[in-house]
Every structure is written in C-alpha cells, then in structure tokens.
Amino acid sequence: MHLSELRGRRVAVWGTGREGKAAVAAIAPAGPASLVVVQDKATFLGTPWDGTLAPLVEGDAAWQALDDVEIVVRSPVIGESHPWVQRLRERGVRITGGTSLWMADRAARTIGVTGSKGKSTTTALIHHLLVASGRPAVIGGNIGIAAFDLPDAPLYVLELSMYQSADLDDSPRVVALTSLFEEHLDWTRDGLPAQYYAHKLNIVAHGPSAVVYNATDPVLAAELAARPGLPLHPAAVPAGFHVRDGRVLLGPDVLFPRDAFPLRGTHNDGNLCVALGALQAWGVDVVGERAALEAGLRSFQPLPHRLTPIADPSGVEFVNDSLSTAPQTAIHAIEAYAGRPLAVIVGGQDRGIDYTPLRDYLSTRGVSLTLIGVPDSGEHILDVVGDLPGVTRVLADDLPDAVRRSRTIVPPGGVVLLSPAAPSYGRYDNYEARARAFQEAITATA
C-alpha cells in the first residue's frame, strides 16, 4: 500500500510513539478524508501529542474511533493478539504500518536487515562498510529513526523488527537475515512459533532480489528451505563468506584477518559474514575492494549496550549487554567471556519465554559462572536453570543490589556481565534506561 492510496480514505494511526508521529506527518499531506490518532492506553513509548495534524482520541473513546475508519496504521507494538486487531480484521479494515507505507515507494533502494538476534549490529556494520567503500547510505528503522523521518537518499539500510516485517507488502531489494528463534510470541495471534516465523519472514515474501542469510542457523535455514523460489545466498559456510583459522574468506579467497573486526564472539562471525554477503548482493566487489573494507572494519565502533566493556578501578570488567532480551543472546554473551571468572545478571520483563536453551547450554558446555537473578523474571530463570555443576545461583532485590553482590563474587580480572535475556519494560522505560541504571550502580559501588 502506497501513501497515495490513502487519499480520500478514513485513516487512524494507532499509537503515539516515534513511528506514530512520523506516520501522521507523512499521511496528513496525502489527503485522507479523515485522520485521527488513537491511544488506547499509556505506554512507555508514548509521547505527548500536540494535535496539529490530527486529533488524539484516548481510552475507551479510541475503540469508537477505530470502528469508524477504513485503514489503520498501527505502531509496531500493537500485535495480532490484541482483541481489537482481530475485530478490525473481521470487519475487513486494512491494517498496515508506517514502515510498510514507506517501503512501498523505496524498496528498490533498500537493504533490509532482520533476525531474532544480531540485526542491530549487522545493520550498523552494513551501513558503515557501504560508507567506507564510498557509497553514501542512510541508516534507520528499528535501530533508532523511524523510516518516515529519514531524508531522501539513494540507498537505505533499515533494521526491521518482527513487528515491522509483519506488515510489509514489498520486500527490500536485498534482505539480510541473521538468525531465527522463538521470541515475541505474545505479539502473535495464538502465541505459536510458526506464527512468529511467518511474521518475521514476511520480509522475503514480496519479491526480493537477494536473500542473504546465516546458513549455520538451523531454524532459519529450514524455514527458508520451506519457502521455495527465494534467491538465497548462504553466508557463514565455506562456499560463501566464512571465518576460518582467524581469517575472513570468500570461498578460497582470503579477505582479511578476523581481528580487523573488533567485536568478539562466534555469533559476530556470522553477523560479519551476512553483512559482507549483503554488500556483495548489492553489487560491491568485496574481493576487489577488500582493502577499503578492512579499513572500514577496523574503524567500526560497537553499538552501545551490546557487549560494551566498562572499566572499573577494582580490576573487574563490567560489560553492558542490556540489548539482550532472549536466552540465545545471553548465551552468545556468555560464550564471549567464558574462561574468566564470570557473573551474569539476568531477568527483566516476564513474557513467558522458554529459558531451557540457557539451561541446556550451561549443562552441555560445562561453563562455570554465577547467575544473579533480578526482578521480574530473574527468579524464574534461576529456577529453570536449576542445580548445575559449576553454576551458582543468587537472587538479588534489584539491579543495584545485583551489582553490589557481584563485587563480592567476582575477583579482579573477572567479568560482571549484564545480559538480562529479558526486556526492560516494567522496571525501566527501555534497554537504554536499564543500561544507565547499571552504570550508576557500578559508580555507586566503586
């Protein structure tokens, strides 16, 4: 659906966060017959509404307003499980999103990146390497700037959440997929993994020119294989871009040393390979331009809140991985620091996530560490992990208490890792606020 198709139609924008505001600013000049903004309840991401371009309807009145429109442009957090989404669909109301409206006119100029983990790093890396190789590009989407707030550009690199991917009617020209595992099941209509996978992979369902994916992820590989006809480009395997013996290769050709890329962990090997595959799919001669790309890799700055080290006078290394919202991301963070004295702070919003992958990883790998659980889900995570050899479980009152306890557990040279494996909501506005609280607790206990 294009913006031009909203002319003369009755439209509601549902949600007043950054995407809702950007959508209203784009839709109002398109000439809808009516445009209203609805907010059914207060959220952490909602912002004050000035009413200049469209009136705001709140609370119970929002339902009456939604009943009177033809098209709803929803904010990403409003899921298929919402009873009013189901009611609107039954009435034949068209439900879309701001990113979908934006993409309809710009898909041919877009590299779209998604995945259950690794999408932010991979998006930032693709953008950084494009610029380093002399190709101007604009970055945005779920990584920080709503699509409709981006300036006009010849090339876009967009991080897309499952929420944003679900509403797409047009695939980006190049799609980069980092991983796939169960997450955000509460957003789906029936809470089923198959529904989550379908929403996530809707990004490849509308004619992409290339789909670059981490072929070492068995769930992702299986789901793509079940969708015949896709232009697949496997990464992280010997036939494509891969890492071996401390080097990055394309097939048999050595490109540069792995340590040119400053991010640790085998999961970042996969992210790097997917990023290089996306560049090649866009038309970059990766072999011919390897020198410029290596220089770009060496200047890449890790994203804030993703395995960000924080020095401390005690000699303990604190690491901020507040972006970790699932057990799989915590596992990769633990892998990066295994072998050193390690305490990991886990817990946050309880979304009913299955934490058995974390238990299985710790039991099969024989990792020695201390798990410190914080509310709301920390106690549940500790219970799921249970009594394992080498794993000590500690329950803390809150994040500052967890930091205080960690100082008595981890010796100099060890690591205290905040990798919560859960969202921040309920205790903090977002992962950034949680990261600030972590830093403040470190400073207060120094």
Side-chain angles (χ1 to χ4, degrees):
M1 174 175 278
H2 297 259
L3 270 177
S4 58
E5 297 176 61
L6 304 185
R7 179 173 297 278
R9 311 289 292 277
R10 301 189 309 279
V11 180
V13 172
W14 189 352
T16 61
R18 67 185 182 199
E19 294 216 17
K21 284 194 165 186
V24 168
I27 293 168
S34 63
L35 177 61
V36 65
V37 178
V38 299
Q39 182 73 329
D40 57 311
K41 62 180 180 180
T43 70
F44 288 118
L45 300 179
T47 53
W49 192 257
D50 59 22
T52 302
L53 297 176
L56 174 66
V57 180
E58 299 182 271
D60 292 341
W63 311 131
Q64 182 177 351
L66 287 172
D67 257 339
D68 191 42
V69 300
E70 302 169 86
I71 299 168
V72 171
V73 181
R74 62 174 166 182
S75 292
V77 295
I78 299 165
E80 292 297 307
S81 59
H82 197 295
W84 269 78
V85 169
Q86 298 175 24
R87 173 171 172 165
L88 292 167
R89 289 202 184 280
E90 290 168 0
R91 286 185 44 233
V93 174
R94 176 66 184 273
I95 299 175
T96 188
T99 300
S100 178
L101 291 170
W102 179 94
M103 188 71 71
D105 294 312
R106 299 167 182 85
R109 291 183 277 161
T110 301
I111 299 174
V113 185
T114 195
S116 300
K117 66 176 184 294
K119 58 184 177 292
S120 296
T121 293
T122 304
T123 302
L125 182 58
I126 291 171
H127 174 258
H128 185 78
L129 293 179
L130 284 168
V131 173
S133 63
R135 295 168 174 84
V138 168
I139 185 173
N142 192 61
I143 202 167
I145 303 175
F148 270 131
D149 281 338
L150 296 174
D152 188 53
L155 171 56
Y156 298 94
V157 185
L158 249 63
E159 178 189 331
L160 297 168
S161 67
M162 179 270 287
Y163 314 133
Q164 295 162 324
S165 297
D167 287 331
L168 293 179
D169 300 312
D170 304 88
S171 292
R173 176 177 151 192
V174 173
V175 175
L177 301 172
T178 60
S179 60
L180 194 64
F181 55 79
E182 295 178 21
E183 197 177 17
H184 303 303
L185 299 185
D186 55 336
W187 193 92
T188 67
R189 182 182 177 102
D190 303 308
L192 300 176
Q195 293 173 337
Y196 166 73
Y197 298 154
H199 291 316
K200 195 77 165 172
L201 294 181
N202 183 52
I203 192 174
V204 304
H206 307 283
S209 297
V211 177
V212 183
Y213 70 103
N214 184 343
T216 67
D217 185 309
V219 176
L220 178 58
E223 289 291 325
L224 290 174
R227 293 162 169 79
L230 293 174
L232 297 179
H233 297 254
V237 291
F241 293 97
H242 64 287
V243 176
R244 187 179 69 236
D245 299 330
R247 301 176 299 175
V248 182
L249 301 92
L250 173 57
D253 297 322
V254 177
L255 300 177
F256 27 72
R258 167 61 175 84
D259 63 12
F261 185 40
L263 273 63
R264 303 173 57 144
T266 56
H267 63 294
N268 280 316
D269 293 352
N271 294 337
L272 172 59
C273 292
V274 169
L276 293 172
L279 263 65
Q280 184 183 59
W282 192 261
V284 176
D285 180 2
V286 175
V287 175
E289 300 182 50
R290 72 182 85 184
L293 294 174
E294 179 179 349
L297 281 177
R298 293 188 181 279
S299 65
F300 180 74
Q301 295 297 313
L303 293 176
H305 320 302
R306 173 61 79 198
L307 293 181
T308 304
I310 303 170
D312 188 77
S314 68
V316 172
E317 183 178 0
F318 288 85
V319 178
N320 168 21
D321 193 37
S322 186
L323 269 171
S324 168
T325 60
Q328 288 82 358
T329 53
I331 288 168
H332 287 300
I334 292 168
E335 284 180 332
Y337 293 95
R340 296 170 63 182
L342 177 62
V344 184
I345 301 172
V346 295
Q349 183 190 32
D350 191 347
R351 295 184 305 181
I353 292 175
D354 179 12
Y355 284 97
T356 55
L358 178 59
R359 181 196 64 201
D360 294 345
Y361 165 76
L362 294 174
S363 64
T364 57
R365 298 298 178 90
V367 178
S368 295
L369 52 73
T370 298
L371 285 181
I372 305 177
V374 298
D376 294 318
S377 61
E379 185 173 6
H380 171 66
I381 295 172
L382 298 185
D383 288 343
V384 171
V385 169
D387 292 320
L388 294 176
V391 177
T392 301
R393 296 175 296 159
V394 175
L395 187 61
D397 295 334
D398 52 26
L399 184 54
D401 184 43
V403 172
R404 284 192 295 270
R405 289 171 179 262
S406 73
R407 286 194 180 276
T408 69
I409 295 168
V410 178
V415 176
V416 177
L417 171 64
L418 172 66
S419 191
S424 59
Y425 303 126
R427 299 279 168 167
Y428 302 100
D429 286 357
N430 50 42
Y431 67 87
E432 294 168 318
R434 178 166 60 186
R436 287 194 298 271
F438 183 52
Q439 177 67 75
E440 290 166 2
I442 295 168
T443 302
T445 57

